[in-house]
Amino acid sequence: MRGELIRVLSEIEEKANELKLDGYNPDVVITGREAYEFVKTLVNEEFGGDEELLELSGLKVRVVDELGGDALIMDSQAAGYEARAIRRIKVVR
């Protein structure tokens, strides 16, 4: 399970870094309900407890059911104007 958590966090950080290189300021991860529950389970198994996820890799977490097993990393200020301010990853494979 640790390997899956590392994979997800690495992908989030990779996409956030891509956004930064393109001049954006990534500040939020929007996850589907399935992706959120998957990552929450991994985190709670790794660190114990049964807490909600408020942050991943320093970015705020929001849940949108329609995304399913995917997540979006985005600059919330620029996302409404430019689709390039958003990156999508597959969390649940």
Side-chain angles (χ1 to χ4, degrees):
M1 288 297 202
R2 178 179 280 181
E4 283 295 303
L5 181 58
I6 290 169
R7 176 190 61 83
V8 171
L9 294 176
S10 294
E11 286 186 40
I12 290 171
E13 289 181 22
E14 177 184 339
K15 297 301 180 184
N17 286 334
E18 285 178 16
L19 287 169
K20 288 177 186 175
L21 288 173
D22 288 343
Y24 298 106
N25 184 28
D27 59 342
V28 66
V29 176
I30 299 177
T31 69
R33 176 66 58 193
E34 184 182 355
Y36 176 81
E37 293 299 331
F38 178 74
V39 174
K40 179 182 167 189
T41 299
L42 294 174
V43 168
N44 287 333
E45 284 179 8
E46 183 67 28
F47 300 107
D50 189 31
E51 299 182 24
E52 297 297 315
L53 292 178
L54 303 176
E55 221 177 73
L56 282 173
S57 294
L59 306 173
K60 293 179 222 166
V61 174
R62 301 292 182 257
V63 179
V64 175
D65 292 331
E66 291 80 9
L67 283 173
D70 292 352
L72 303 174
I73 295 83
M74 66 185 345
D75 178 335
S76 62
Q77 299 297 310
Y81 302 104
E82 298 183 38
R84 295 177 303 204
I86 304 169
R87 299 291 192 279
R88 188 175 192 142
I89 63 169
K90 188 85 169 152
V91 175
V92 180
R93 295 184 178 178

